[in-house]
Amino acid sequence: LSPESKNKVALISFGSFRLGVQSVDADIDALALCPPHVTRGDFFTSLVKVLGDDGRVTDLHPVPSAYTPVIKFYMDGIQIDLLFARLANGTKLQSLPSSSSQDPKKEEEEEEDDPTSPTSTVTPPNSTTTTTNHQPHPRYEFQITDEDLVGLEDEATVRSMNGVRVAQLLLSSVPNLPHFRFVLRAIKQWARVHGLYSNVLGFLGGVNWAILVAFICKRYPEASPFVLMRHFFGTFGSWRWPRPVRLVKVV
């Protein structure tokens, strides 16, 4: 697409990077949300060629036949998993702000003062240490709404959007974002140390741990991070599985 074109692509992060709890060696999960005229075929041909010609890109592996089609690659040494989806109506994409624009959304406003944010140095909650932002502006993220799902007939597109929608729900539902991030990082590290962090091996993965932590944060909105961790183990240590853990009421 030419710079003058009104048709834009929204690059939306999700997973641990979007939640602000990524480790140093973690990959970045991202969704390329495209206007209606861009096809999955374009994504796995034209874009793959562009990436292949970019000297910063290595280990390029497009996987169009996966359950959730993905392009895997490294850029400047950072692993990226890029998914594709297109909107039935691309009008919203025409009004995307430039990369230098600020957006006053809740998660970005809180991120400025969040010591566990990916744009700040990490300090414990309630610390008096001054944090330093490494980016000039909060990161803008396109918000996918239920209306954006209207008219979608491609199941792979819906699956590709799920990660972003889950991240949006988690960030909007927790009452204290810094506390959520602090506790989630601690719980994920605990799970890794005890060999419990792997959905491939039948345990819980990153999004599963995030949902459990968000549930505790919502149940105890005034609790400190350390009290939240105590409630986490007390609650799920005696949870009556397979009773579901719900963040919102089922209508």
Side-chain angles (χ1 to χ4, degrees), residues 44-87:
F44 282 101
T45 54
S46 301
L47 179 58
V48 169
K49 184 180 185 305
V50 170
L51 292 173
D53 293 338
D54 192 320
R56 300 170 297 172
V57 174
T58 60
D59 297 329
L60 177 61
H61 297 292
V63 193
S65 59
Y67 183 70
T68 303
V70 60
I71 299 177
K72 294 177 172 285
F73 60 95
Y74 284 78
M75 175 171 280
D76 290 332
I78 300 174
Q79 184 179 355
I80 298 175
D81 289 350
L82 184 61
L83 307 183
F84 167 86
R86 63 175 178 174
L87 296 177

Side-chain angles (χ1 to χ4, degrees), residues 73-196:
F73 60 95
Y74 284 78
M75 175 171 280
D76 290 332
I78 300 174
Q79 184 179 355
I80 298 175
D81 289 350
L82 184 61
L83 307 183
F84 167 86
R86 63 175 178 174
L87 296 177
N89 184 345
T91 304
K92 285 177 62 176
L93 295 174
Q94 296 178 4
S95 58
L96 286 176
S98 64
S99 59
S100 61
S101 298
Q102 293 194 45
D103 186 78
K105 292 186 181 297
K106 173 188 174 184
E107 71 182 77
E108 305 301 352
E109 290 177 339
E110 292 182 333
E111 186 170 330
E112 290 183 310
D113 298 321
D114 179 4
T116 62
S117 162
T119 63
S120 305
T121 55
V122 179
T123 55
N126 305 322
S127 170
T128 57
T129 303
T130 301
T131 59
T132 302
N133 285 340
H134 301 303
Q135 294 181 357
H137 301 294
R139 187 178 69 250
Y140 170 75
E141 297 276 5
F142 183 94
Q143 300 292 303
I144 296 178
T145 65
D146 290 341
E147 294 178 356
D148 296 324
L149 304 180
V150 176
L152 296 180
E153 299 178 354
D154 182 3
E155 292 185 6
T157 293
V158 176
R159 288 195 297 269
S160 297
M161 287 183 173
N162 280 345
V164 172
R165 299 182 71 215
V166 169
Q168 290 177 181
L169 174 63
L170 290 171
L171 290 172
S172 63
S173 63
V174 294
N176 189 308
L177 191 53
H179 287 184
F180 166 74
R181 285 171 167 157
F182 188 90
V183 174
L184 180 54
R185 277 179 168 166
I187 295 299
K188 288 175 68 174
Q189 183 61 24
W190 170 85
R192 290 190 183 96
V193 169
H194 289 80
L196 302 175

